[in-house]
Amino acid sequence: MGEYDAAVPELEGEENLIAAAKQIVRALGSKRNLTDDAKKILAELGTQLTTITTISENEVDEISDDEGRLNVIQEKIMIWETDQSMIWDLGSSETNEYINSVDEVRKLTEKLEAMCLKDDGEKELLRRAHDILQIAMARLEEEFKYMLVQNKQSFEPEHMSFRSSEEDAGSVVSLGDDSFEESQHRDSVSRNSEEYIVELVHPYTIPELRCIANLMFISGYGHECSQAYVSVRRDALDDFLLILEIEKLSIEDVLRLEWGSLNSKIRRWVRTMKIFVRVYLASEKCLSEQIFGDLGTVNLVSFAEVSKASMMWLLNFGEAVSIGPHKPEKLFPILDMYEVLADLLPDIDSLYADEAGARVRIDCREVLRRLGDSVRAAFLEFENAISTSTSTNPIAGGGIHPLTKYVMNYLNALTGYRETLNFLLKDQDGEDTMSLSPDINPSTEEENAREGACDGSPLALHFRSVASILECNLDDKAKLYKDTSLQHIFLMNNIHYMAQKVVNSNLQSILGDGWIRKHNWKFQQHEINYERNTWSSILAILKDEGNSNSSRTLLKERFRNFYTAFEEVYRTQTAWSIPNGHLREDLRISTSLKVIQAYRTFVGRHTNQISDKHIKYSADDLQNYLLDLFEGSQRSFHNPHRRS
C-alpha cells in the first residue's frame, strides 16, 4: 500500500475505499464454509472492484495527457497574442494550424466539461481550457472583422444601368404658372428586371469567413461573431448611402426643408430605394447567407440587424414627407414615392420574411398608407386651389389664362399614374370617397355614360370634376372684362384649349369623346355669341328692312355709321388675341362671310343713289382689315396695314 500511495497520492478517498472493499472480499472468500452462491457473488464483486480501480487509474493518465495537450495548444495560440500580424494575411499554412488549434481546444473543453471533475487540479485544467478558448475566440473575432473590412468590394451604383430620376424628372411648379412641365419622368427599376446581385466581399474569402463563423458558433461564441458581422456590414451600408449622397435627416429636419430642396431629396429617395432594396439589400442578404447559411436562422437575423436601421430611416423620410403640407406641387413627387414603395413591397416582404424583419414589413405598409393619404389630400388641395384662385386683372386680349394651361397640363401629367390614382381615389369597398364638383350628379353621369364621356373610373370622375371647377373659375374671370364680346373670346379661347388638350393627349381615353363633343359645342357657342354681340348691331345698319328707296342723306349717314362702327371694332379687336391659328382663321372666315356679304349687298343695292366718294372702303379692303383682327397687337385705323 505504501508504494501505491506514493505513486498516486491523490487516490486517498474513493480509491482507499475500493481497496478496503477488495480486502474484505478476499477475506470472506478465504472462508471454507461459504456456499457456491456466496462464492459466486464475492467473485463478481471482486471483478467489479478491480474494473473500477482500472478506470480510475486510466482517468488519471487521461487527465495527465489532456494537460499536456492543453500546454501545446496554449503555446500555439498564445504566440499570436504578441504578434501584430493578422494570421489570415500570412497564408493557408498558418491559418489552418491556428484553426486546428482552436478546434482542438474547443473539443478538449467539451471533453473536460463532460467528465465528473472533482478535485481542484482537474477544475483548474478546465478553467485554463476555457481561458485559452476565450482568447482564441477574441482573436478569431478580430480576424473575422479584419477580413470583412479589408476584402470589402466597392459598389458604384452609377456604373449600373439605372436612370437617375433626379437628372430627368420634370419639375412641378406653383398653381397658375403655365410653364408646368408636361413630360413627367417615370423611371423605374422594373420588376421585370432580374435581381442584380453584386459581390460585396471578395468571393475567395467567403469560405474562410464561413469557417470562422461556424467555429465561433459551435464554440458558444455565436453572439460575438454576429455582433462583429453586424458592426462591420452596418458601417459598409452607411458608406453606401453616403455614395448615394443620402443625408440622414430627422422628421423635424425634413419638415423644415424648403420645397426646392425637399423635391430634390424626394427624387433622390426614389432612385435610392430601388437600388437599395433590389440591388444592395438583395446582395447583403446573399452575403449573410453565404457566411451564416449553415447556422439555421442566424443569417436572417444578422441581415435584419445590419439593414434594419437604414431601412427604417429611409421609411421615416417617407413618413415625414407624408406629414408635411399637402400642396398641389407635392402630388407628383409623393405619387412617385408611393409607386416605388408599393412596387418594392414584394421585395421587402421577401427580404424580411422572418420574425426578425417583421417590424420593417409593418412600418413599410404604414408609410405606404400614409403616402396614399397624402396623395388624396394633395389632390383635394389641387381642386381647392383651382376653385379659390382669384384674379384682379383680366388677361390682356382675352387669351388663354395661365390657370387653364396649368390645370390641363397637370391633369395630363397625372394620366401617367392612372392605375395608382384609380386605386387611391376610392376606399376599401371600392366606393369613391372624395367629394366631386357640384355639377357631377347621377343624372349627369348617366348622360355622359350614354355619350361615352368617360370610363366611369374614380380618376375619370375626378378629372371631370376638376375640369368643371376650372370652367366655373373661368366664368368668374370672364366677368373681369367689361366688353361682353371679349368675355366670349376669352371663354372660347380657354374652352377650346381644354378640348384640344384632351384630344391630343392621354386625357382623351379618360374623359372620353362625349366630353370632347360637349366642350367643342361650348366653345363654338361662345364663337357664335361673340359674332352676335359684336356684329349684329353693325350689320343692322346695312339692313334696308324692305325700304330700298332711302334718301341720299340717310344713306350717307348709314355709310358713315357703318364705317365708324367698323373702325372701332378694328381698333379694339386687333388687340384681342386668339392664340390658336386654326381657331383664329375660322372666326375670321365666319365673320368675313357675314360682314362682307352684307356690305357688298348694301353697296350694290345703292350704287346708283350715292357717289363713289361716299364709299370709303371696298369689300376687299374690309376683308383685308378683318384679317388683322385677333393678332394681339392693337393697330390704328388711320394708318392701317393694307394688304396687296
Side-chain angles (χ1 to χ4, degrees), residues 537-571:
S537 59
I538 298 175
L539 294 179
I541 299 172
L542 302 178
K543 287 184 179 180
D544 288 326
E545 299 179 355
N547 182 12
S548 60
N549 297 315
S550 301
S551 66
R552 185 171 297 182
T553 303
L554 182 58
L555 283 174
K556 291 178 186 178
E557 182 68 20
R558 291 173 69 184
F559 270 105
R560 279 196 301 271
N561 289 342
F562 173 79
Y563 293 141
T564 300
F566 186 92
E567 291 168 3
E568 180 61 27
V569 168
Y570 182 90
R571 277 190 295 270

Side-chain angles (χ1 to χ4, degrees), residues 292-304:
F292 299 113
D294 300 333
L295 302 170
T297 60
V298 173
N299 64 309
L300 301 176
V301 175
S302 297
F303 164 73

Side-chain angles (χ1 to χ4, degrees), residues 85-92 94-95 143 146-147 150-151:
S85 303
M86 301 305 292
I87 302 172
W88 264 259
D89 281 345
L90 302 178
S92 59
E94 285 78 3
T95 58
E143 297 277 343
Y146 175 79
M147 289 174 65
Q150 293 301 312
N151 293 283

Side-chain angles (χ1 to χ4, degrees), residues 30 69 77 79 109 125 129 198 220 250 256 295 381-382 461 468 479 555 573 614 628:
S30 64
R69 285 171 56 202
I77 289 175
I79 194 172
T109 302
L125 186 63
V198 296
S250 67
R256 282 194 294 266
L295 302 170
E381 184 58 32
F382 170 59
L461 294 175
S468 297
K479 295 172 184 176
L555 283 174
Q573 298 192 13
H614 296 293
D628 290 333

